[in-house]
């Protein structure tokens, strides 16, 4: 459903085209997307427009923003926002909605006990929201049934850190990636998923060419463009690779004898567990890597003191994720390479506030302030501080288990906040059915219409980025403010307020009586320093007495900041002194054993399915999907498949492909590429039923989890791949396109002033004009070219003298100059007389077809970059000088480098020079 906003929300403008009225307010805030946590400067002008730029003083990004951050203002659009509370689709006042939530949750607790209710929250919410949610559930409801979509993101890192360090501590700082001599990126497509961190790393490599970068990933992603060595290992074999490294380091004499003796325990057992990989041949057999590559990596690691190992979803999203983390950490403990400048293990989180959620105990097996649910002293500390009636000692359901509990009726009332589990959880169709059958479901969201919101009994409108106030913590433990600079739309409220109002109605008003996010932050800070004799890593008690004005002006800081402690001069790190938070104060080696992914390829399901992100979209596209600029890069769901596999299956580039298994299937575009390992395929996670006919890839993912962390294995499901036997393919652009498109295959994407749609069908329709009317509406006159025997049709729909839609149909994937056509639509109204020109589908020889969009900021296409290469550009920088491409946010630099490489021109470093 599309809703119009009241006049309080200004029309957003692209960052590069600001209206030139006077700036009336500048607000420093933080990007709401990835865990890099970039500082954003939002400028509000007198005419109400907003422009964004990087905050030059923010220590995460020093003024840079990637394409998603650069396009933030374009996502501040009116359409689609949830404006008012609703019960069963009926608009109600906040009081009625909150009364209903409190009554139903209260009745369920009274009748079935506290474990019959649950909260499922998100790494998108602010720390203050998270704190209140956790306090309500664990301290007052008396259940730990609160989990978060961060379980899907970094729970294995949390578990691995706790096993090794005693606490969930990321020891280092971003600066370490710049000062290291070797950076190993394991299961991390930093270039697309943490673009500004990637740019910092790339720039450091340009400045110090002797720096080495190794990428460890089954896919050769954009990140590998800066790698000196890429290790494209078999999915799920990281433990074998790092167990082999541990043994190699020991034999090579790289052990830091003093550090290991004085500050660690468990080495012998870890070495014994690693013994099967003493023989390099065994490592190569399991990982599928070339022996020379593995040996080169091991020698490089052994010989380099300053090593940072970055790990992300490729490590975490695995049924052996926790062991993978510990296999990596073991190598850093053995060499004593932890806690000092330029070295250490480094988990980078996917979401903007995964770390903040960890700080407040947002996971079902954690307590607030990095304290332990299982520890009675910790429980007593928190319960005493909260003065709460109950505190649970039993861990709640982790995400996958939580929805099992919803499915079988153990959980009867569920509140989902800022996340879309119908699309994002493994076995997503089963999750959808579970939510649909749940007796009472509350959804708090910014958007009115998501696949999850459709199933809610009560909808609560949440404040969006630009409206809400609070803090987030990035991957290097840096707490930054998100600040509101716009009037909240409709009746949108902060999530913490809705939670506190329900708590008050349940009889706990005194403990939930905050007036502001600042008051919650003070309480959170005070709890972190309460009873300091109980040692823990997370402590921000220096801010326990922060004034409201101090909160307003709070500068980004890295924790810990203990009471009375002054701000650090430079990055803060943990464990350089060899003191850990385990019972004996020693860092623990963990004996890790290689285990293959749970699902094994078979004759019927021969491929491994890897899932992940693309450069310009975020999660289920509820926000980034509204920005035309962000849809320009990749406008359609796709599957990456290796050339040999594609050929064997009769799959040609740009044809359609079915990827499926017993759980579900998706239909996606074939991207045939040698970046993909034979036997594996990759499908992105972003497309939902709002944007494509069948592309909810998580419906295919098996609900297999890591036994320690509970994190699902999202990168190794087994699937079958086959040609989608399309009888016809279509491409359309329309000023307006219906919310629900009919057809066997469709995928839609926003363009400025309309939408683009890819189409296909198993059977040709009786009349193509019917398709055009369905897409572009009645009351149009149609101009068409048709070659019925060849199955080719082209239609232009004209209304009131203007072209309002174009449809191109062919028996094979439609070959028209999409970006050229879109450029016409985006330039403004098109006179009917131009229809004939546009129906040609491509420009005449005198006009350049820009080709597939590569640089979203400057709208530069692949053809333009190739042409620049042919004209003599030999580096990313030279392409930038000529075309501008890559000189704004820089997210496209790896792709420019790859295009130059494909043209067999010399490629110089990816970073800006
Ligand atoms: Fe936002 Fe991009 Fe920075 Fe991530 S790297 S925080 S998405 S601007």
């Amino acid at each position: 459903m599309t809703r119009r906003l009241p006049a309080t929300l200004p029309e957003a403008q692209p960052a590069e085209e600001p209206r030139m009225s006077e700036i009336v307010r500048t607000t420093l805030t933080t990007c709401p997307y990835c865990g890099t946590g970039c500082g954003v400067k939002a400028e509000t002008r007198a005419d109400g427009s907003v422009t964004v730029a990087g905050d030059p003083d923010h220590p995460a990004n020093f003024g840079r923003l990637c394409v998603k951050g650069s396009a933030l203002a374009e996502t501040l659009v009116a359409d689609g926002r949830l404006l008012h509370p609703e019960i069963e689709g009926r608009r109600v006042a906040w009081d009625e909605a909150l009364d209903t939530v409190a009554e139903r949750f209260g009745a369920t607790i009274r009748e079935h006990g506290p474990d019959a209710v649950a909260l499922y929250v998100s790494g998108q919410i602010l720390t203050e929201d998270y704190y209140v949610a956790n306090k309500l559930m664990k301290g007052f409801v008396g259940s730990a049934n609160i989990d978060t979509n961060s379980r899907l993101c970094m729970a294995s890192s949390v578990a691995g850190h706790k096993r090794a360090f005693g606490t969930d501590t990321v020891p280092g700082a971003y600066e370490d990636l710049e000062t290291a001599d070797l950076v190993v990126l394991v299961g991390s497509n930093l270039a697309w998923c943490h673009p500004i961190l990637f740019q910092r790393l790339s720039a450091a490599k340009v400045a110090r060419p002797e720096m080495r970068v190794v990428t460890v990933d089954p896919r050769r992603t954009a990140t590998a463009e800066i790698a000196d060595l890429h290790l494209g290992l078999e999915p799920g074999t990281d433990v074998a690779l790092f167990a082999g490294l541990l043994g190699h380091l020991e034999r090579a004499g790289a052990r830091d004898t003093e550090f290991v003796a004085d500050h660690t325990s468990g080495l012998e057992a870890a070495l014994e567990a690693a013994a099967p990989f003493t023989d390099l041949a065994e490592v190569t057999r399991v990982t599928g890597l070339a022996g020379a590559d593995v040996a080169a990596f091991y020698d490089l690691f052994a010989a380099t003191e300053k090593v940072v190992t970055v790990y992300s979803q490729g490590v975490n999203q695995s049924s052996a994720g926790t062991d993978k983390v510990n296999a990596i950490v073991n190598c850093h403990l053995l060499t004593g390479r932890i806690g000092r400048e330029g070295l250490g293990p480094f988990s980078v989180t996917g979401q903007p506030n995964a770390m903040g959620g960890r700080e407040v105990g947002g996971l079902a097996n954690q307590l607030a302030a990095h304290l332990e649910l299982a520890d009675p002293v910790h429980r007593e500390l928190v319960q005493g501080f909260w003065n709460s009636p109950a505190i649970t000692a039993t861990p709640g359901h982790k995400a996958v288990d939580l929805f099992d509990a919803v499915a079988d009726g153990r959980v009867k009332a569920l509140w989902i906040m800022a996340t879309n589990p119908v699309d994002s959880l493994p076995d997503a169709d089963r999750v959808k059915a579970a939510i649909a059958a749940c007796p009472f479901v509350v959804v708090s969201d910014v958007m009115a219409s998501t696949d999850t919101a459709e199933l809610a009994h009560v909808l609560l409108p949440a404040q969006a980025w630009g409206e809400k106030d609070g803090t987030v913590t990035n991957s290097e433990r840096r707490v930054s403010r998100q600040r509101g600079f716009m009037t909240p739309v409709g009746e949108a409220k902060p999530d913490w307020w809705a939670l506190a109002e329900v708590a008050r109605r349940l009889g706990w008003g005194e403990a939930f009586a905050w007036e502001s996010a600042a008051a919650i932050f003070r309480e959170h800070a005070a709890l972190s320093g309460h009873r300091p004799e109980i040692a823990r890593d997370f402590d921000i008690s220096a801010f326990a007495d922060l004034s409201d004005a101090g909160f307003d002006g709070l500068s980004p800081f890295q924790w810990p900041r203990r009471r009375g402690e002054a701000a650090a001069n430079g990055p803060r790190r943990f464990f350089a002194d060899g003191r850990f938070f385990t019972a004996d104060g020693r860092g623990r080696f963990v004996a890790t054993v290689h285990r293959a992914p749970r699902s094994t390829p078979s004759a019927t399901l021969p491929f491994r399915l890897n899932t992940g992100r693309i450069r310009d979209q975020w999660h289920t596209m509820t926000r980034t999907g509204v920005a035309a600029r962000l849809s320009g890069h990749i406008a359609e769901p796709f599957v990456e498949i290796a050339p040999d596999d594609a050929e064997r299956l009769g799959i040609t580039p740009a044809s359609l492909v079915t990827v499926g298994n017993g759980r579900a299937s998706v239909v996606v575009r074939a991207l045939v590429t040698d970046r993909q390992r034979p036997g594996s395929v990759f499908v992105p996670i972003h497309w939902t039923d709002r944007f494509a006919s069948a592309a909810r890839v998580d419906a295919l993912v098996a609900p297999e989890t890591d036994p320690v962390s509970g994190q699902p294995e999202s990168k190794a499901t087994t699937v079958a791949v086959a040609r989608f036997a399309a009888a016809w393919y279509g491409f359309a652009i329309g000023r307006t396109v219906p919310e629900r498109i009919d057809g066997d295959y469709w995928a839609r994407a926003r363009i400025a002033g309309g939408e683009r749609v890819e189409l296909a069908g198993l059977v040709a329709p009786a009349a193509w004009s019917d398709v055009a009317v369905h897409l572009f509406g009645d009351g149009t006159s149609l101009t068409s070219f048709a070659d019925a025997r060849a199955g080719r049709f082209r239609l232009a729909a004209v209304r009131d003298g203007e072209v309002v839609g174009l449809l191109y149909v062919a028996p094979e994937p439609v070959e028209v100059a999409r970006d050229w056509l879109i450029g016409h639509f985006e330039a403004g109204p098109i006179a009917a007389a131009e229809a004939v020109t546009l129906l040609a589908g491509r420009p005449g020889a005198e006009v350049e077809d820009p080709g597939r969009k590569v640089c979203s900021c400057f709208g530069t296409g692949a053809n333009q970059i190739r042409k620049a290469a042919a004209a003599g550009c030999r580096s990313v920088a030279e392409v930038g000088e000529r075309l501008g491409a890559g000189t704004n946010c820089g997210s496209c630099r790896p792709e420019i480098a790859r295009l130059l490489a494909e043209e067999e021109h010399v490629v110089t470093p990816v970073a800006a020079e």
Side-chain angles (χ1 to χ4, degrees):
M1 191 188 318
T2 299
R3 296 166 194 225
R4 299 278 161 197
L5 286 175
T8 50
L9 190 74
E11 281 299 313
Q13 296 298 306
E16 71 276 22
E17 293 175 4
R19 294 179 187 173
M20 295 315 293
S21 65
E22 185 192 355
I23 295 168
V24 293
R25 186 159 31 130
T26 298
T27 308
L28 298 181
T29 182
T30 310
C31 176
Y33 297 127
C34 83
T36 306
C38 295
V40 173
K41 187 171 66 167
E43 293 180 333
T44 308
R45 293 174 186 270
D47 62 5
S49 64
V50 176
T51 56
V52 302
D55 174 359
D57 298 321
H58 196 289
N61 57 317
F62 299 105
R64 302 177 181 100
L65 290 179
C66 78
V67 65
K68 290 189 288 291
S70 301
L72 268 168
E74 292 154 61
T75 67
L76 303 174
V77 294
D79 286 353
R81 287 292 300 274
L82 177 62
L83 301 178
H84 313 285
E86 291 181 9
I87 298 176
E88 307 281 5
R90 175 175 58 90
R91 178 179 171 177
V92 298
W94 265 104
D95 268 341
E96 184 180 345
L98 294 166
D99 287 348
T100 302
V101 176
E103 276 165 23
R104 294 294 300 268
F105 266 64
T108 306
I109 293 165
R110 281 192 301 279
E111 206 173 322
H112 302 285
D115 288 334
V117 302
L119 279 178
Y120 185 63
V121 297
S122 162
Q124 309 290 297
I125 62 175
L126 305 181
T127 300
E128 292 69 24
D129 304 319
Y130 246 133
Y131 178 86
V132 177
N134 189 56
K135 180 176 179 179
L136 173 61
M137 282 303 292
K138 295 198 180 123
F140 288 80
V141 170
S143 168
N145 276 349
I146 170 170
D147 213 49
T148 158
N149 64 7
S150 293
R151 177 75 62 190
L152 318 179
C153 162
M154 51 61 195
S156 297
S157 283
V158 174
H161 294 162
K162 285 166 78 168
R163 290 203 305 194
F165 310 142
T167 44
D168 171 24
T169 313
V170 176
Y174 290 163
E175 204 177 279
D176 297 329
L177 274 72
E178 297 168 317
T179 54
D181 293 323
L182 168 63
V183 175
V184 185
L185 296 151
V186 192
S188 166
N189 184 4
L190 209 68
W192 280 19
C193 301
H194 301 87
I196 296 304
L197 257 187
F198 178 76
Q199 286 185 31
R200 288 182 63 167
L201 174 62
S202 303
K205 195 164 179 348
V206 170
R208 290 192 301 118
E210 68 278 14
M211 175 195 262
R212 292 288 171 260
V213 173
V214 175
T215 48
V216 181
D217 194 321
R219 293 168 71 213
R220 190 178 174 91
T221 65
T223 304
E225 294 303 321
I226 62 163
D228 299 282
L229 175 64
H230 172 67
L231 300 177
L233 77 183
E234 280 278 350
T237 60
D238 312 61
V239 168
L241 181 69
F242 283 90
L245 176 61
L246 186 74
H248 177 83
L249 293 169
E250 175 71 1
R251 291 189 300 280
R255 184 203 290 200
D256 182 334
T257 313
E258 201 175 314
F259 183 85
V260 169
D262 295 348
H263 301 298
T264 69
S265 64
L267 175 60
E268 290 312 314
L271 286 172
E272 198 177 312
F277 299 102
T278 301
D279 185 354
L280 190 64
E282 182 60 6
V283 178
T284 60
R285 187 189 68 78
V286 172
T287 61
L289 295 168
D293 287 347
V294 176
F297 170 52
Y298 285 3
D299 289 343
L300 187 59
F301 198 110
T304 312
E305 170 67 5
K306 290 178 119 182
V307 181
V308 170
T309 308
V310 174
Y311 44 96
S312 189
Q313 295 351 6
V315 166
N316 294 331
Q317 291 179 335
S318 162
S319 60
T322 309
D323 275 359
K324 288 184 184 181
V325 170
N326 287 112
I328 292 167
V329 171
N330 282 348
C331 296
H332 282 270
L333 289 176
L334 183 81
T335 51
R337 294 172 188 162
I338 190 164
R340 290 178 282 130
E341 185 186 350
L343 47 79
F346 207 126
S347 147
V348 289
T349 57
Q351 298 198 79
N353 202 29
M355 292 283 274
R358 287 147 79 163
E359 290 158 14
V360 302
L363 292 160
N365 51 329
Q366 289 182 326
L367 204 47
H370 275 209
L371 295 165
E372 291 300 317
L373 205 61
D375 187 323
V377 176
H378 288 190
R379 288 201 304 276
E380 190 230 316
L381 182 160
V382 175
Q383 188 173 9
F385 181 85
W386 282 343
N387 192 23
S388 70
I391 197 150
T392 182
T394 312
H397 300 300
K398 295 169 183 152
V400 171
D401 299 339
L402 173 60
F403 285 89
D404 283 346
V406 174
D408 65 25
R410 280 172 289 154
V411 168
K412 301 173 195 307
L414 175 66
W415 189 344
I416 298 166
M417 189 168 278
T419 185
N420 199 358
V422 164
D423 296 315
S424 56
L425 271 168
D427 208 359
D429 284 345
R430 187 159 181 271
V431 170
K432 183 177 182 179
I435 297 171
C438 186
F440 186 61
V441 178
V442 183
V443 170
S444 295
D445 208 304
V446 164
M447 306 305 286
S449 185
T450 71
D451 291 344
T452 301
E454 281 206 342
L455 306 177
H457 299 95
V458 177
L459 277 175
L460 300 177
Q463 290 181 357
W465 184 84
E467 299 167 358
K468 58 186 180 180
D469 257 309
T471 58
V472 290
T473 306
N474 73 4
S475 298
E476 62 165 351
R477 311 184 320 279
R478 191 173 298 282
V479 179
S480 299
R481 288 277 279 108
Q482 262 196 28
R483 295 180 172 91
F485 51 87
M486 291 165 47
T487 307
V489 302
E491 297 175 11
K493 294 281 190 187
D495 288 320
W496 65 259
W497 178 87
L499 287 157
E501 283 295 311
V502 169
R504 187 170 65 78
R505 285 164 168 78
L506 288 168
W508 302 309
E510 206 179 316
F512 291 82
W514 308 283
E515 296 274 311
S516 64
I520 301 167
F521 180 77
R522 284 191 286 272
E523 182 177 313
H524 166 51
L527 172 57
S528 74
H530 185 56
R531 294 181 54 189
E533 74 278 8
I534 297 172
R536 64 263 206 187
D537 59 342
F538 176 71
D539 187 338
I540 58 167
S541 54
F543 301 101
D545 302 318
L546 193 69
S547 65
D548 286 358
F551 186 71
D552 281 346
L554 187 66
S555 297
F557 68 90
Q558 251 191 318
W559 59 259
R561 283 287 300 279
R562 299 187 170 84
R563 192 181 282 277
E565 193 176 50
N569 199 7
R572 304 207 56 173
R573 299 179 179 86
F574 278 93
F575 310 137
D577 58 3
R579 282 186 296 181
F580 295 86
F581 295 96
T582 52
D584 60 5
R586 288 172 175 263
R588 284 191 292 248
F589 288 93
V590 176
T592 58
V593 177
H594 163 68
R595 296 191 308 275
R598 293 272 172 76
S599 309
T600 305
S602 63
T604 49
L605 300 174
F607 287 89
R608 283 211 184 279
L609 168 66
N610 184 359
T611 65
R613 293 177 176 162
I614 63 170
R615 192 189 78 187
D616 290 5
Q617 294 294 348
W618 180 256
H619 281 196
T620 55
M621 291 166 53
T622 50
R623 288 173 293 168
T624 48
V626 303
R629 174 153 54 127
L630 297 179
S631 295
H633 179 231
I634 296 175
E636 194 180 10
F638 62 90
V639 57
E640 275 187 8
I641 184 167
D644 286 354
D645 288 334
E647 190 179 351
R648 190 166 39 78
L649 295 169
I651 293 167
T652 50
S655 62
L656 288 169
V657 172
T658 301
V659 181
N661 55 24
R663 276 175 289 279
S665 66
V666 295
V667 182
V668 288
R669 189 71 60 178
L671 178 57
V672 180
T673 171
D674 58 10
R675 298 191 296 273
Q676 184 62 58
R677 277 182 72 86
S680 291
V681 293
F682 172 85
V683 176
I685 60 172
H686 307 291
W687 274 267
T688 68
D689 287 348
R690 317 269 129 194
F691 294 95
S693 51
R696 291 169 54 246
V697 70
D698 277 299
L700 278 66
V701 173
E704 307 281 9
T705 57
D706 178 277
V708 183
S709 69
Q711 180 153 359
E713 184 154 67
S714 300
K715 292 181 175 293
T717 295
T718 49
V719 293
V721 177
R723 272 184 67 239
F724 177 80
W728 61 274
Y729 292 82
F731 172 68
I733 312 177
R735 288 288 176 216
T736 59
V737 173
E739 197 166 311
R740 298 287 175 188
I741 297 172
D742 296 336
D744 298 315
Y745 172 81
W746 56 266
R748 69 196 307 154
R750 191 69 69 100
I751 63 172
E755 287 191 82
R756 57 178 286 175
V757 186
E758 300 286 346
L759 297 151
L762 296 167
V763 179
W768 293 108
S769 56
D770 292 347
V771 177
V773 169
H774 167 62
L775 289 172
F776 311 131
D778 288 326
T780 54
S781 62
L782 305 173
T783 304
S784 65
F785 295 147
D787 180 347
R789 277 194 10 191
R792 298 183 192 283
F793 297 86
R794 296 189 171 190
L795 293 156
V798 177
R799 186 185 296 127
D800 300 330
E802 282 181 24
V803 176
V804 296
L806 294 164
L807 172 65
Y808 303 82
V809 175
E812 69 283 324
V814 173
E815 284 193 36
V816 292
R818 286 168 171 73
D819 285 274
W820 174 75
L821 290 167
I822 289 166
H824 274 271
F825 252 72
E826 294 190 330
I830 302 171
E834 290 186 64
V836 174
T837 307
L838 297 179
L839 284 180
R842 56 185 62 256
E846 72 289 357
V847 179
E848 182 181 52
D849 170 13
R852 177 182 63 80
K853 187 82 61 69
V854 174
C855 174
S856 299
C857 297
F858 289 90
T860 315
N863 291 348
Q864 292 170 297
I865 294 165
R866 289 192 188 100
K867 196 169 160 193
C873 288
R874 291 290 179 270
S875 69
V876 176
E878 287 174 21
V879 170
E881 271 171 35
R882 190 181 188 97
L883 302 173
T887 60
N888 185 38
C889 77
S891 299
C892 61
R893 283 186 196 125
E895 282 168 276
I896 297 173
R898 185 180 289 162
L899 278 168
L900 290 173
E902 283 169 9
E903 296 294 299
E904 297 183 352
H905 293 297
V906 178
V907 180
T908 57
V910 168
E913 290 148 73

